[in-house]
Amino acid sequence: MTKDQLKEIMKFQLSNFNDEGVPINNQTVHNAVLSEDDGFGHVNSVQLYKDVIKFVLVKQGHKLKKWPSNWLEMDVDELSSAIYL
């Protein structure tokens, strides 16, 4: 999987949580779409998104990198660069 493919997956997953109507592109900041307050208990869009992206990376043979603590403030371009090996 290339970094561009990862970005497409990230944008697709963001669009699944996008009830805010935010334009989804490489400059979409994650906290404009994802929230820790939109689910039930520990299940929310923030955790689901992060888990799905990690799952995809592992299934595609990539090692997991530690996600930046401020990843929710990062856009798709920035986060993909931070977590892609």
Side-chain angles (χ1 to χ4, degrees):
M1 177 176 61
T2 67
K3 187 162 64 168
D4 284 338
Q5 289 171 318
L6 174 61
K7 288 180 195 181
E8 292 304 313
I9 292 166
M10 293 169 76
K11 290 184 289 188
F12 175 77
Q13 294 303 325
L14 282 172
S15 70
N16 290 328
F17 295 111
N18 189 16
D19 57 358
E20 294 79 12
V22 173
I24 304 295
N25 54 48
N26 289 344
Q27 288 72 47
T28 302
V29 176
H30 286 86
N31 65 10
V33 176
L34 305 176
S35 173
E36 294 178 334
D37 299 324
D38 62 0
F40 306 98
H42 70 282
V43 178
N44 55 56
S45 62
V46 169
Q47 195 58 52
L48 288 170
Y49 175 85
K50 187 174 182 181
D51 288 345
V52 167
I53 300 304
K54 285 182 172 183
F55 179 84
V56 168
L57 285 166
V58 169
K59 286 297 186 180
Q60 293 299 314
H62 296 272
K63 293 186 179 188
L64 289 179
K65 286 180 77 176
K66 183 175 178 176
W67 284 40
S69 60
N70 66 332
W71 73 269
L72 280 170
E73 289 82 39
M74 299 172 87
D75 67 24
V76 171
D77 278 334
E78 294 166 329
L79 181 58
S80 66
S81 292
I83 63 173
Y84 184 81
L85 291 177

